[in-house]
Amino acid sequence: VTRNNALTLKTNVVPHLEGNFFTLDLAQVRQVFEAVPWVRSAVIHREFPNRLRVQLQEQQPQALWGEEGSSTLLNQQGQVFEANLGEVEADALPRLKGPTNQSQQVLEMYQSLRPVLQAADMDMDELELSPRGSWKLFTAQGAVIELGRGQPQELMPQLQIFLRTLPQVTSRYERTTKALVMADLRHKDGYALRLQGV
């Protein structure tokens, strides 16, 4: 593990262990190890005559989770976990929001949308799923894009049309795509947008 050392693990685990080599409850030992910050999972084995072998898998943060100032992160599996944000390069991580029981779905949507936006020279800073199931993304340039409800395969065609036609629309107003302030893609056969100075 890279975010914990032997001393930290010993301090967090040893006081919670009860019994000796033979009477120790391995399921309880596993739970104690998994309660340590940054530990995603632990596998415990008895190694005769008097040792325990512990294999730990560490959390790999993929995104910040929840409101600004929250200490929760999202791992590669889309699971929410608590951590000290001082131990993470938070600026490099996107912020994802939504109902906690749908965190995996939010991560999957982010992973689907990001390459499409990057191909159009945009990057996603934040993605939000409302409790009613509507998606909203914030670009690194500060624009807000309302995607509406649906799965990635339902929302992707409308987003691709928008990204393909945006340079043409902005050039009519003598602007670039960087002038985008807001776009609403929830309309069936088109979209609404707001540009800086228009």
Side-chain angles (χ1 to χ4, degrees):
V1 292
T2 57
R3 300 184 192 276
N4 284 306
N5 58 34
L7 184 61
T8 306
L9 289 168
K10 198 173 195 179
T11 305
N12 283 310
V13 173
V14 172
H16 301 286
L17 300 181
E18 298 173 6
N20 60 33
F21 178 76
F22 296 104
T23 62
L24 207 58
D25 180 2
L26 295 186
Q28 183 213 1
V29 175
R30 182 179 53 79
Q31 289 174 346
V32 170
F33 269 102
E34 290 175 355
V36 174
W38 292 103
V39 174
R40 179 174 174 262
S41 66
V43 178
I44 317 293
H45 298 286
R46 282 190 173 92
E47 206 172 77
F48 288 95
N50 61 357
R51 303 186 97 177
L52 290 179
R53 176 177 295 279
V54 181
Q55 293 176 306
L56 301 176
Q57 185 177 34
E58 203 166 47
Q59 299 279 16
Q60 299 297 322
Q62 295 297 299
L64 302 167
W65 179 257
E67 296 301 322
E68 194 78 35
S70 168
S71 64
T72 51
L73 295 163
L74 214 56
N75 67 15
Q76 291 173 317
Q77 293 72 30
Q79 300 164 329
V80 178
F81 68 98
E82 292 279 333
N84 178 3
L85 294 184
E87 300 173 6
V88 178
E89 290 184 32
D91 296 341
L93 296 175
R95 179 162 299 280
L96 305 182
K97 299 178 183 175
T100 304
N101 63 346
Q102 293 179 296
S103 59
Q104 186 174 5
Q105 182 183 356
V106 176
L107 181 62
E108 289 169 2
M109 179 65 94
Y110 170 79
Q111 291 168 336
S112 298
L113 295 175
R114 188 166 187 232
V116 175
L117 287 165
Q118 285 179 326
D121 199 28
M122 284 188 192
D123 203 0
M124 197 180 334
D125 197 35
E126 188 175 311
L127 178 65
E128 181 178 338
L129 174 62
S130 76
R132 297 183 66 200
S134 186
W135 296 95
K136 181 192 297 186
L137 71 86
F138 300 81
T139 68
Q141 294 81 14
V144 178
I145 302 175
E146 293 276 359
L147 298 171
R149 296 181 189 185
Q151 299 299 316
Q153 63 272 16
E154 298 165 333
L155 299 175
M156 205 61 76
Q158 182 75 350
L159 179 62
Q160 288 170 331
I161 290 169
F162 166 71
L163 293 173
R164 191 172 62 245
T165 59
L166 182 62
Q168 298 165 355
V169 174
T170 56
S171 67
R172 288 183 189 169
Y173 297 97
E174 298 174 4
R175 302 283 188 276
T176 66
T177 56
K178 304 246 186 271
L180 179 67
V181 174
M182 195 275 304
D184 189 344
L185 311 186
R186 297 175 292 184
H187 305 282
K188 186 177 179 214
D189 295 319
Y191 55 83
L193 58 87
R194 189 177 345 158
L195 302 173
Q196 290 173 356
V198 178

